[in-house]
């Protein structure tokens, strides 16, 4: 079938098998690829022999067989918690809230796999895909195949060339439209208040952050802010929040952005219920309507209500909960597969893309106002890189959290390792350190009521973890800019690291931005083994040097293990109590590690609007020369601010 593959962009090909359905993740998201960035990447040869790709029909199923190298690891498949390499496994990629049965079901399953030899494959369908990854061995061969099976008349398959796994993932993210760039405040620290708190209680809790001199950018409200929440009214509870506008304005004046919890199921108590009833699915969820988000009518009705009741007050984003189903837990908060929707889709199709639709149309409310947003979501899927949301879960195993961070990086997804509660002071610290080095640094106290000062004996260590995140803001913001412009995941697994060597299969450490390696420790640990890629690596704070390409044991009794690669230049800000705003004067510390010259770029824009998409941004060049006897000289070229930050004063520090 080699002649059937057509070029989509340099290094990307597609092939149509059968007659694909028109309702797919790519069609509902109406993707506009980052064509210029794809062209800059240039081409690469087709990564495997296309003549070995076979299609067959088995009853109502379409089965595709693609070649796989002997012993080749297979990565990706969305937000997976239990393993990194899926070779030898069968994966049933259905959206579901319980991912702990090692079946492939999860909050964000993506029929996208990354071959360890340097390519990726995506099946663009709203149907459930089952992948047999060298796990369905035919009588006639040794089983070096990926077999994809779905109940559909056809499917379009995309192949992304490398030649490295990272480049294949970049091409996928760029064909998706490039990764999103959050507002600068979104990368600060978040706190979610107890679920039934009143306006006065929320304000008291928020002000404790200021009174105790703790950083915090976002205050999240849980279900109790609504007059009805299971299902939702989307209206303020006048008992707990008698003056929502004054409440939001007060928090804004104190430097906080407000985030609202909701799920998509519409209560009979909601004023928009009657208008949405004929535009919703045949089955309810928790007795609430399931709007057909693929139609313009429901989009307009919900947007009008949200803009009037929320955005006009200054709400900065949403937590989109429980849009992922719960059958494996026996709770069943999802419409069934045989449900019907006014658009003509059935329950299987709608379930697979519901989280994508929620994200897209929620974000568009902000984009139409030239505002960026950053939120949380419980379900996602393919092509999601441009959507400004991070995934979260009700699971709470920190080791699974790290594996989820790794796996999300393969598939254009982000995951937050939030901290909710702890049984010991040390567990509290370790969880916080991990959360502050994930996509959203967040304390979620909706059920536990925990505070940063819940364990006074380790409050300094908690503060240190949160302040580290604030110091890293210039570096993190730049990493997300590279996600947008170049498709490079801001948090990525070691398998995407060039020259990773034996570290590529590590699922308990990951890269943060281009040059920092995060190796989390867990409760009870004061040291751990880290798998280092080739080259020299340096302790972030002290500059202690470690030789790479083999495992090393590092002691870290109270800090997170954070390592910088040889030659890295890391821009750092001060540990501010909230993220800086456009026009602020911000001190900048620039660190260089090792004896190798370095060059990097620091990204800057206004941090709030979409003007960067129209060219209102700048790249600040940072460079270090190494001279005789190891002396180092740092140079910075800033250029005009384009409405962003004013970096001054600037100090260079040389470590290692």
């Amino acid at each position: 079938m080699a002649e059937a593959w057509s070029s989509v962009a340099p290094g990307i090909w597609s092939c149509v098998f059968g007659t694909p359905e028109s309702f797919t993740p790519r069609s509902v998201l109406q993707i506009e690829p980052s064509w210029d960035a794809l062209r800059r990447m240039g081409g690469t040869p087709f990564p495997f022999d296309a003549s070995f790709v076979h299609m067959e029909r088995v009853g109502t199923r379409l089965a595709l067989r693609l070649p796989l190298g002997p012993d080749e690891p297979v990565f990706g498949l969305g937000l997976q918690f239990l393993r990194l390499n899926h070779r030898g496994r069968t994966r049933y990629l259905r959206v579901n809230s319980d991912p702990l049965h090692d079946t492939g079901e999860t909050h964000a399953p993506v029929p996208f796999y990354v071959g360890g030899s340097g390519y990726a494959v995506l099946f663009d369908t709203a149907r459930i895909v089952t992948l047999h990854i060298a796990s369905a061995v035919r009588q006639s061969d040794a089983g070096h195949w990926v077999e994809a099976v779905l109940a559909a008349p056809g499917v379009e398959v995309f192949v992304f060339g490398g030649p490295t796994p990272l480049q294949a993932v970049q091409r996928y993210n760029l064909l998706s439209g490039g990764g999103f760039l959050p507002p600068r405040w979104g990368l600060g620290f978040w706190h979610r208040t107890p679920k039934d708190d009143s306006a006065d209680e929320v304000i008291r809790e928020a002000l404790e952050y200021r009174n105790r001199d703790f950083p915090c950018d976002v205050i999240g409200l849980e279900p109790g802010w609504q007059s009805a929440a299971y299902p939702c009214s989307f209206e303020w509870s006048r008992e707990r929040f008698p003056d929502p506008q004054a409440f939001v304005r007060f928090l804004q004046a104190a430097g906080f952005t407000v985030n609202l919890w909701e799920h998509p199921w519409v209560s009979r108590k909601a004023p928009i219920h009657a208008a949405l009833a004929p535009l919703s699915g045949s089955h309810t969820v928790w007795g609430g309507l399931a709007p057909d988000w693929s139609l313009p009518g429901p989009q307009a009705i919900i947007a009008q209500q949200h803009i009037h009741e929320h955005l006009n007050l200054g709400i900065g984003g949403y937590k989109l909960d429980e849009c992922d189903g719960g059958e494996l837990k026996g709770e069943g908060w999802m419409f069934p597969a045989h449900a019907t929707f006014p658009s003509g889709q059935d329950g299987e199709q709608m379930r697979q893309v519901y989280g994508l639709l929620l994200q897209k149309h929620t974000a568009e409310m902000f984009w139409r106002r030239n505002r960026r947003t950053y939120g949380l979501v419980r379900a996602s899927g393919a092509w999601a890189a441009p959507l400004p949301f991070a995934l979260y879960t009700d699971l709470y195993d920190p080791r699974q959290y790290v594996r989820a961070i790794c796996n999300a990086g393969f598939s254009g997804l982000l995951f937050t390792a939030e901290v909710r509660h702890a049984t010991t002071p040390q567990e509290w610290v370790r969880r916080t350190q991990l959360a502050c080095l994930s996509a959203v640094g967040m304390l979620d106290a909706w059920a536990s009521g925990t505070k940063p000062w819940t364990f006074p004996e380790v409050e300094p260590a908690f503060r240190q973890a949160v302040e580290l995140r604030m110091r890293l803001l210039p570096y993190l913001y730049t990493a997300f800019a590279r996600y947008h412009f170049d498709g490079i995941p801001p948090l990525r697994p070691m398998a995407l690291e060039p020259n990773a060597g034996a570290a590529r299969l590590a699922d308990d450490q990951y890269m943060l931005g281009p040059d920092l390696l995060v190796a989390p420790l867990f409760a009870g640990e004061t040291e751990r083994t880290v798998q280092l890629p080739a080259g020299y690596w340096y302790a972030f704070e002290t500059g202690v040097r470690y030789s790479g390409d083999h495992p090393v044991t590092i002691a870290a009794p109270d800090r997170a293990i954070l390592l910088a690669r040889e030659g890295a230049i890391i821009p750092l800000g001060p540990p501010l109590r909230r993220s800086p705003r456009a026009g602020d004067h911000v001190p900048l510390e620039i660190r260089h590690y090792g004896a190798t010259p370095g060059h990097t770029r620091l990204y800057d824009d206004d941090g709030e609007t979409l003007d960067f998409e129209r060219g209102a941004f700048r790249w600040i060049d940072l460079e270090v020369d190494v001279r005789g006897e190891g002396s180092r000289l740092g140079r910075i070229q800033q250029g005009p601010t384009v409405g962003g930050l004013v970096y001054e004063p600037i100090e260079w520090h040389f470590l290692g």
Side-chain angles (χ1 to χ4, degrees):
M1 290 190 179
E3 70 281 358
W5 292 90
S6 59
S7 176
V8 176
I12 305 174
W13 302 265
S14 77
C15 186
V16 173
F17 295 90
T19 305
E21 295 169 296
S22 60
F23 187 80
T24 71
R26 194 164 189 244
S27 71
V28 301
L29 292 178
Q30 300 176 336
I31 287 166
E32 178 58 34
S34 298
W35 295 118
D36 289 344
L38 286 167
R39 284 189 284 268
R40 286 195 299 271
M41 285 194 70
T44 190
F46 196 88
F48 50 79
D49 189 341
S51 67
F52 284 101
V53 180
H54 297 283
M55 178 191 83
E56 61 181 315
R57 294 189 184 279
V58 183
T60 60
R61 294 179 177 85
L62 183 72
L64 293 170
R65 188 160 56 137
L66 295 94
L68 187 65
D71 301 319
E72 179 179 9
V74 174
F75 308 110
L77 309 187
L79 187 71
Q80 300 291 336
F81 291 84
L82 299 182
R83 66 184 65 249
L84 194 75
N85 180 9
H86 300 282
R87 188 184 179 98
R89 300 284 169 169
T90 295
R91 290 289 174 256
Y92 179 67
L93 299 177
R94 184 179 72 148
V95 173
N96 202 309
S97 67
D98 191 347
L100 294 186
H101 289 71
D102 204 16
T103 62
E105 292 190 274
T106 179
H107 307 290
V110 183
F112 172 80
Y113 68 88
V114 180
S117 61
Y119 66 93
V121 178
L122 173 75
F123 304 87
D124 184 38
T125 177
R127 296 295 177 184
I128 298 166
V129 177
T130 300
L131 288 179
H132 302 272
I133 305 168
S135 64
V137 181
R138 295 172 179 257
Q139 294 184 30
S140 57
D141 59 46
H144 301 314
W145 302 94
V146 172
E147 296 196 32
V149 182
L150 62 159
V155 65
E156 184 173 13
V157 181
F158 291 81
V159 170
F160 303 85
T164 68
L166 176 58
Q167 288 168 311
V169 169
Q170 282 182 259
R171 295 184 201 274
Y172 166 64
N173 289 336
L174 291 172
L175 194 66
S176 302
F180 77 90
L181 179 60
R184 196 175 271 110
W185 54 257
L187 296 178
F189 190 69
W190 296 34
H191 177 82
R192 305 200 69 84
T193 55
K195 63 186 179 69
D196 291 324
D197 271 8
S198 66
D200 289 343
E201 290 168 326
V202 171
I203 287 173
R204 279 199 298 271
E205 191 145 310
L207 291 182
E208 275 292 280
Y209 272 87
R210 299 293 181 247
N211 295 337
R212 292 175 179 262
D213 200 31
F214 266 94
C216 188
D217 264 284
V218 178
I219 293 294
L221 307 187
E222 289 293 307
W225 74 268
Q226 293 183 63
S227 58
Y230 282 88
C232 289
S233 69
F234 311 111
E235 302 281 327
W236 292 89
S237 164
R238 296 298 171 169
E239 176 185 354
R240 286 186 286 271
F241 294 84
D243 191 342
Q245 186 173 55
F247 165 77
V248 174
R249 285 180 176 173
F250 183 91
L251 288 178
Q252 286 179 322
F256 297 103
T257 297
V258 179
N259 177 283
L260 298 180
W261 175 99
E262 64 181 37
H263 63 219
W265 323 123
V266 185
S267 170
R268 290 185 177 274
K269 298 178 181 178
I272 57 177
H273 183 278
L276 287 172
L279 300 171
S280 297
S282 57
H283 290 65
T284 62
V285 181
W286 279 318
L289 298 174
D292 190 336
W293 274 92
S294 68
L295 295 175
Q299 296 169 22
I301 292 168
I302 295 170
Q304 182 181 27
Q305 188 273 343
H306 278 50
I307 289 169
H308 181 263
E309 294 289 331
H310 311 157
L311 271 68
N312 284 348
L313 274 60
I315 295 303
Y318 292 89
K319 175 182 177 180
L320 305 176
D321 202 1
E322 291 156 343
C323 49
D324 52 355
E327 282 86 343
L328 290 180
K329 293 181 178 179
E331 297 169 347
W333 67 74
M334 181 55 76
F335 42 78
H338 63 274
T340 58
F341 285 81
S343 59
Q345 317 312 320
D346 63 32
E348 177 189 346
Q349 295 168 295
M350 196 63 75
R351 177 188 185 126
Q352 293 295 97
V353 302
Y354 214 74
L356 291 171
L357 287 166
L358 281 174
Q359 293 175 73
K360 171 182 168 62
H361 297 299
T362 301
E364 284 178 341
M365 295 188 300
F366 293 90
W367 294 342
R368 285 192 290 267
R369 300 160 73 92
N370 194 29
R371 288 174 57 192
R372 280 182 256 172
T373 184
Y374 194 15
L376 304 164
V377 69
R378 268 278 289 273
S380 194
W383 310 106
L387 300 174
F389 291 86
L391 287 148
Y392 64 100
T393 182
D394 277 349
L395 307 176
Y396 205 48
D397 184 330
R399 295 181 187 274
Q400 292 171 1
Y401 276 12
V402 178
R403 200 173 294 118
I405 291 172
C406 293
N407 278 317
F410 288 114
S411 304
L413 305 171
L414 294 166
F415 178 76
T416 173
E418 65 179 22
V419 56
R420 296 199 292 269
H421 58 80
T423 56
T424 67
Q426 192 196 44
E427 181 192 356
W428 183 242
V429 170
R430 292 307 191 196
R431 286 187 175 277
T432 304
Q433 290 168 343
L434 175 58
C436 288
L437 295 172
S438 72
V440 178
M442 182 170 67
L443 168 54
D444 189 354
W446 75 272
S448 65
T450 49
K451 313 289 191 296
W453 41 91
T454 293
F455 295 92
E457 61 269 47
V458 293
E459 185 176 319
F462 187 102
R463 182 186 298 275
Q464 182 184 78
V466 177
E467 289 185 345
L468 172 61
R469 184 173 183 89
M470 301 304 292
R471 291 164 60 206
L472 285 169
L473 278 181
Y475 177 81
L476 288 173
Y477 197 55
T478 300
F480 272 88
R482 295 186 71 191
Y483 189 34
H484 174 75
F485 290 105
D486 301 325
I488 299 173
L491 295 94
R492 63 187 189 279
M494 303 307 300
L496 298 183
E497 174 69 10
N499 304 314
R504 78 168 180 164
L505 294 180
D507 64 356
D508 61 353
Q509 61 187 63
Y510 56 92
M511 296 299 297
L512 180 67
D515 293 315
L516 291 178
L517 189 157
V518 180
L521 288 95
F522 306 102
E525 297 180 346
T526 57
E527 66 177 26
R528 61 157 289 176
T529 298
V530 184
Q531 296 283 346
L532 291 180
Y536 291 116
W537 295 80
Y538 297 83
F540 173 74
E541 296 288 7
T542 65
V544 172
R545 189 176 79 170
Y546 301 93
S547 180
D549 210 18
H550 62 83
V552 298
T553 299
I554 300 176
D558 58 353
R559 292 179 180 264
I561 294 178
L562 196 59
L563 302 170
R565 75 167 81 245
E566 171 81 22
I569 300 175
I570 309 295
L572 301 170
L576 301 172
R577 273 40 206 162
R578 63 163 178 78
S579 60
R581 304 301 194 257
D584 285 358
H585 288 240
V586 179
L588 187 66
E589 176 191 355
I590 307 173
R591 292 187 182 179
H592 174 258
Y593 293 84
T596 300
H599 174 267
T600 193
R601 295 193 300 168
L602 170 63
Y603 178 80
D604 185 37
D605 63 19
D606 66 23
E608 293 274 355
T609 74
L610 301 176
D611 290 351
F612 71 95
E613 295 182 343
R614 296 176 283 276
F617 62 86
R618 63 171 174 160
W619 289 100
I620 301 169
D621 284 292
L622 308 175
E623 188 171 4
V624 170
D625 287 338
V626 178
R627 302 189 170 185
E629 299 183 356
S631 66
R632 287 175 270 181
L633 175 66
R635 292 193 298 271
I636 180 169
Q637 185 175 349
Q638 291 207 54
T641 62
V642 295
L645 304 179
V646 179
Y647 284 118
E648 61 177 14
I650 297 169
E651 293 186 4
W652 289 83
H653 291 157
F654 301 105
L655 287 83

